[in-house]
């Protein structure tokens, strides 16, 4: 029975590690629990029509919630591993009152101290297998801290790229170049650079799905509000006379189609054409009337 309880704790740790792996280190697949937490927080904020400032906190709060969930489940998982063997399989420092505490409390305490790599030493494993297994928790704790820092450092550059593209599209919408103005070498270069930026954002949504749950703020920095104008530019480019402009317009249209496919497959599930997907994207981010 003791070993079954310990195996249950190890299973909880493995579920957490799997979720962390698929969220941070295997970006072509979805995280499990973390994705559910982020989606639930986003839908909750949208359902209650939270103001923009509150919605803007959903992304950061979701990341904090997910990291806290990982930490808590790792601590509890290892505590369950220790629990059936406490206190007989452990030694306590002289004069320590820990042995008089409930076994579960001592197990949680030991797990917290170990995962935080404090190494206080007032409770130490005595059996051989525990002496080998316990340091693994410290390694997992260190990996969790490193992964959290890496996650933050990776997600914010992706958000910056998305907002830069939105600002570029906002400036172009204000200028509103015609098909004739785009029908030049500079127009081809412009459309080609936009296609590259859209492709980068598409990859960001693939690798960092949690970026979807970050609200961009004002319309001029919101891709949800501006992406529809990129489709307008693609159509104007494809209607130009110069072949290089038509090619650049086709590239931009293709990049937008790929972006719409990712948004629909992972978040929106409309099953419609890109125009419908982008409209749903705008509505989901509170930009119902922002599309040109």
């Amino acid at each position: 029975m003791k070993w079954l309880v310990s195996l249950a704790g190890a299973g909880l740790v493995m579920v957490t590690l799997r979720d962390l792996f698929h969220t941070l280190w295997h970006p072509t697949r979805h995280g499990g629990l973390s994705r559910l937490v982020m989606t639930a927080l986003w839908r909750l904020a949208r359902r209650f029509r939270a103001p923009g400032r509150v919605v803007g906190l959903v992304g950061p709060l979701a990341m904090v919630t997910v990291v806290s969930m990982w930490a808590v489940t790792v601590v509890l998982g290892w505590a369950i591993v220790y629990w059936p063997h406490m206190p007989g399989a452990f030694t306590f420092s002289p004069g320590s009152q820990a042995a008089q505490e409930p076994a579960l409390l001592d197990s949680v305490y030991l797990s917290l101290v170990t995962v935080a790599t404090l190494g206080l030493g007032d409770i130490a494993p005595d059996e051989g297998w525990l002496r080998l297994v316990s340091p693994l928790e410290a390694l997992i704790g260190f990996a969790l801290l490193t992964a959290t820092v890496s996650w933050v450092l990776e997600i914010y550059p992706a958000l910056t790229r998305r907002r830069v593209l939105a600002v570029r599209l906002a400036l172009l919408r204000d200028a509103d170049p015609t098909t004739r103005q785009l029908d030049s070498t500079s127009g081809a270069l412009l459309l080609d650079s936009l296609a590259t930026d859209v492709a980068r954002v598409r990859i960001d949504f693939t690798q960092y799905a949690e970026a979807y749950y970050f609200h961009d703020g004002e319309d001029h920095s919101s891709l949800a509000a501006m992406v529809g104008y990129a489709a307008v530019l693609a159509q104007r480019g494809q209607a130009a006379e110069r072949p290089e402009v038509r090619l650049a317009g086709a590239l931009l249209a293709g990049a937008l189609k790929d972006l719409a496919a990712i948004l629909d497959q992972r978040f929106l599930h409309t099953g419609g054409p890109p125009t419908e997907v982008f409209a749903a994207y705008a509505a989901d981010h509170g930009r119902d009337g922002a599309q040109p």
Side-chain angles (χ1 to χ4, degrees), residues 114-136:
T114 305
V115 80
T117 65
L118 294 178
L120 298 181
D122 52 341
I123 303 177
D126 191 36
E127 290 190 3
W129 73 273
L130 284 171
R131 291 169 64 88
L132 293 175
V133 167
S134 184
L136 292 177

Side-chain angles (χ1 to χ4, degrees), residues 203-266:
I203 292 173
D204 287 337
F205 276 123
T206 303
Q207 294 184 331
Y208 313 111
E210 58 276 6
Y212 180 86
Y213 305 106
F214 280 75
H215 193 266
D216 288 330
E218 301 297 329
D219 284 351
H220 73 276
S221 62
S222 171
L223 184 63
M226 294 296 136
V227 68
Y229 188 70
V232 173
L233 291 175
Q235 292 174 357
R236 292 177 183 176
Q238 289 176 297
E241 295 182 1
R242 290 174 178 259
E244 65 269 24
V245 180
R246 293 199 302 270
L247 175 60
L251 289 174
L252 178 56
L256 289 169
K257 183 178 179 180
D258 287 344
L259 175 61
I262 291 297
L263 290 173
D264 200 44
Q265 176 187 358
R266 294 202 165 195

